[in-house]
Amino acid sequence: MKFTSVLAAGTAAVLALGLTACGSGGGGDDAGGTDAVTITVLPKNLGNPYFEASTTGAEEAGEELGVTVEEVGPDTASPDAQVPFINTAAQQGVGALVVSANDPTAIGDALEEARSAGTKVVTFDSDTEPQFRDIFVNQASPEGIADKQLELVAEQIGGEGEIAILSASANATNQNAWIALMEEKLASDYPDIELVETVYGDDDDQTSFDKTAALLQSHPDLKGIVSPTTVGIAAAARYVSTSEYKGKVAVTGLGTPNQMREYVEDGTVEAFALWNPTDLGYLATQAAAALAAGDITGEEGDTFEAGRLGEFTVGADGEVLLGDPYVYDEANIGDFDF
Ligand code: RAM
């Protein structure tokens, strides 16, 4: 199974024309009349292969639509590290910002200012509170993401025992929503599994690696680690792969196939899940371009063409949903390259 579909070239051309002709809220150079729209992509932090994939998708959409896409971002995924980048984008008068938020409120004022200067705001991957953005492009339903990870860990530890969560940063909207749902579902549906601790690796490889070591040391009966972050799961798998815990402590959660392949192949990891981050960046940029062109406003019921992914409809609270998470294991991991 691959995440590809046919490029709707005609639609892309029409949208590109619309953007050029309209130029509303564009790159601050409306007098020139051409290429007026720039979209700034702002991941949680730079250097994360997950966001490299989403930016590849954003650039692909930009090329199809004739829109300039620029990625900027902080080195660390801390709550307000994105603020200066938002301010700069607003000063440049970019048409839209596409941002994965490190915190639901810390960047709110900056986003509000950018919006009052005419910049449209699309959150993707990790939302802010809804009043700070026009649209949130969600990768999959939070319930689906939470349930899938519990199914995986339950299967891998034989349905009982102690587990721990290794998350991203403590304020991340997306991970916190998934963790809250996992906690609820554990209490109701998995009476024999005990969540003994949740720790935060800040989406930093070394911090996540060290937190894995500490978890294993403080919980000698630990049977599984669930890491709902691609940075965390890769660091946890790397630690476990050369330790006495390999084959004894399950590592699962959300990972990219390219980062996890060696740990699936060497038997450290049985299976994990994820959506396609390239498609996520592509869809978020398509939504941003439609907003910047004035084709949609982000109201519930608005529809827009997202190139090769087809038509999408804005749902309640300005949410657009990409699809379902997908499970990767030894049988299929060779088929993916991101
Ligand atoms: C990391 C980031 C991102 C999250 C994925 C699963 O790359 O925390 O926000 O969606 O993991």
Side-chain angles (χ1 to χ4, degrees):
M1 153 133 187
K2 292 228 171 117
F3 300 94
T4 49
S5 58
V6 182
L7 166 68
T11 309
V14 169
L15 258 180
L17 275 177
L19 287 169
T20 309
C22 174
S24 58
D29 188 26
D30 286 352
T34 54
D35 194 18
V37 173
T38 295
I39 293 178
T40 298
V41 176
L42 180 51
K44 282 180 171 176
N45 58 347
L46 298 181
N48 175 350
Y50 172 90
F51 289 116
E52 282 161 14
S54 61
T55 297
T56 299
E59 285 165 351
E60 180 194 348
E63 265 169 45
E64 286 176 22
L65 298 168
V67 167
T68 305
V69 169
E70 272 171 13
E71 185 198 53
V72 295
D75 293 328
T76 55
S78 55
D80 55 8
Q82 293 166 310
V83 168
F85 298 94
I86 297 168
N87 293 342
T88 302
Q91 279 154 17
Q92 290 168 341
V94 302
L97 261 166
V98 173
V99 52
S100 170
N102 282 311
D103 184 288
T105 56
I107 60 173
D109 287 349
L111 290 179
E112 259 173 7
E113 237 173 87
R115 288 173 82 197
S116 60
T119 297
K120 302 296 178 188
V121 174
V122 173
T123 51
F124 76 108
D125 176 68
S126 183
D127 201 7
T128 55
E129 285 185 0
Q131 71 270 22
F132 299 129
R133 46 69 174 167
D134 296 289
I135 281 180
F136 170 46
V137 178
N138 201 349
Q139 44 271 58
S141 83
E143 293 77 13
I145 296 170
D147 289 355
K148 185 57 76 190
Q149 293 178 86
L150 288 182
E151 270 166 45
L152 287 169
V153 75
E155 221 170 86
Q156 292 171 22
I157 67 171
E160 57 180 11
E162 294 184 359
I163 63 165
I165 292 177
L166 168 65
S167 189
S169 54
N171 293 349
T173 326
N174 53 345
Q175 273 91 9
N176 284 347
W178 305 330
I179 290 169
L181 289 164
M182 285 197 274
E183 285 170 347
E184 271 176 35
K185 190 93 185 201
L186 273 172
S188 61
D189 292 19
Y190 297 93
D192 299 327
I193 298 181
E194 188 192 356
L195 174 61
V196 290
E197 198 178 344
T198 296
V199 296
Y200 300 91
D202 295 335
D203 268 352
D204 175 72
D205 175 68
Q206 189 61 45
T207 311
S208 305
F209 187 84
D210 296 344
K211 293 279 166 114
T212 304
L215 270 179
L216 289 161
Q217 231 173 27
S218 37
H219 303 285
D221 295 328
L222 202 66
K223 301 259 301 273
I225 296 174
V226 179
S227 187
T229 145
T230 58
V231 179
I233 193 177
R238 188 169 89 254
Y239 183 87
V240 171
S241 70
T242 59
S243 77
E244 62 188 287
Y245 305 103
K246 183 177 171 192
K248 297 195 183 103
V249 176
V251 177
T252 190
L254 306 174
T256 66
N258 284 354
Q259 287 177 284
M260 298 305 289
R261 190 168 294 106
E262 69 177 287
Y263 307 115
V264 170
E265 285 172 355
D266 78 4
T268 306
V269 172
E270 207 176 300
F272 61 94
L274 197 70
W275 45 91
N276 184 326
T278 307
D279 286 353
L280 185 64
Y282 180 88
L283 176 57
T285 304
Q286 292 277 355
L291 283 166
D295 291 346
I296 58 172
T297 62
E299 285 300 300
E300 183 170 359
D302 274 358
T303 59
F304 63 99
E305 273 304 321
R308 63 178 168 79
L309 296 178
E311 188 182 85
F312 284 78
T313 303
V314 179
D317 292 326
E319 237 182 86
V320 173
L321 191 65
L322 175 66
D324 293 318
Y326 184 78
V327 173
Y328 302 87
D329 58 19
E330 204 186 356
N332 64 22
I333 197 156
D335 300 342
F336 298 94
D337 186 15
F338 62 83

